[in-house]
Amino acid sequence: MEHAKMMDHPSNGISIWGHLKPAFLEEEFYVRRLFSDDEVGDGYTSDWKDGETLSFGSSYDKSCSLSTIYRLEIIKIELFSVYGAQLAVNLHDFQDAEPDILVHSTPAIVEWFRQQGIKCKFALKALCRKKGLHVERAKLIGVDSLGMDVRVLSGTEVRTHRFPFKVRATSEVAAEKQIRQLLFPRSRRKKFRTPERAGDLDSL
């Protein structure tokens, strides 16, 4: 059961190389401010600004003597994706990266797809075959603003395939609409239309 769950819900892996170095005073101050308890938190001045000399109380000085905070200076990042590829990540791109707009909506979209029933499952398999994939079972496992990830089972082989959207989805509703457009092209909508979902398909 656990093995089947891992096959249906694979995760990306990431490898980071770097050097551990003692944190700068400003960085150490910031980290201790976040994670210290109330007693330590009362030991520093709250009106500190960049470029000013930090002022700490005795409780903070005692805390500093008990531990050292380090920072990781990253020199290399590699991504082991669910698609089976090993990719080098540009450090500047990594520093400038922001979460995908649908990062918190993915579970809801996948659940919405599951609730659509067997007609969407058949349509997903048909989409895979249209792309030249030999598929016995297909399952939607992930969605972001640029496309959807589908786990495909063929014999003993299990792979993840990416199906991009035509345009970037900017909301959960927009992503669901893009998925319907991939699964139900205009030439096939009448075949899969049902009374309760006819309005959705006609609105595409």
Side-chain angles (χ1 to χ4, degrees), residues 4-127:
K5 182 178 180 181
M6 292 177 63
M7 295 299 287
D8 285 339
H9 301 280
S11 60
N12 290 307
I14 191 169
S15 178
I16 300 177
W17 286 264
H19 301 293
L20 283 176
K21 296 183 177 181
F24 293 121
L25 183 60
E26 293 84 356
E27 296 171 333
E28 182 173 347
F29 171 77
Y30 177 75
V31 172
R32 292 188 186 279
R33 182 178 180 180
L34 290 177
F35 296 101
S36 62
D37 55 29
D38 293 338
E39 181 180 356
V40 174
D42 292 337
Y44 58 79
T45 56
S46 60
D47 58 349
W48 174 76
K49 299 179 181 179
D50 290 340
E52 294 181 348
T53 302
L54 300 180
S55 175
F56 304 98
S58 59
S59 59
Y60 186 85
D61 294 335
K62 182 179 179 181
S63 174
C64 287
S65 65
L66 298 177
S67 62
T68 301
I69 295 179
Y70 291 86
R71 61 186 176 90
L72 176 63
E73 186 176 284
I74 299 175
I75 59 176
K76 183 180 180 182
I77 301 176
E78 285 189 348
L79 173 67
F80 301 87
S81 75
V82 294
Y83 312 111
Q86 181 176 341
L87 308 170
V89 178
N90 183 281
L91 295 183
H92 294 293
D93 292 342
F94 175 77
Q95 292 172 350
D96 295 337
E98 296 182 359
D100 188 83
I101 193 172
L102 298 180
V103 64
H104 298 300
S105 301
T106 297
I109 297 173
V110 173
E111 176 62 20
W112 163 83
F113 180 85
R114 187 188 67 81
Q115 293 177 354
Q116 302 312 302
I118 194 168
K119 68 182 180 67
C120 278
K121 293 182 180 180
F122 281 139
L124 187 60
K125 292 175 68 174
L127 176 64

Side-chain angles (χ1 to χ4, degrees), residues 129-157:
R129 294 191 180 103
K130 182 180 178 181
K131 299 298 183 180
L133 304 175
H134 177 67
V135 54
E136 297 175 9
R137 186 165 68 95
K139 184 173 184 178
L140 179 67
I141 62 170
V143 180
D144 56 48
S145 63
L146 298 178
M148 64 180 186
D149 298 323
V150 178
R151 199 69 167 160
V152 175
L153 171 65
S154 178
T156 59
E157 183 180 15

Side-chain angles (χ1 to χ4, degrees), residues 143-148 163-169 175 178-179 182:
V143 180
D144 56 48
S145 63
L146 298 178
M148 64 180 186
F163 293 92
F165 295 150
K166 291 184 178 180
V167 296
R168 181 188 291 267
Q178 291 272 6
I179 293 173
L182 283 173

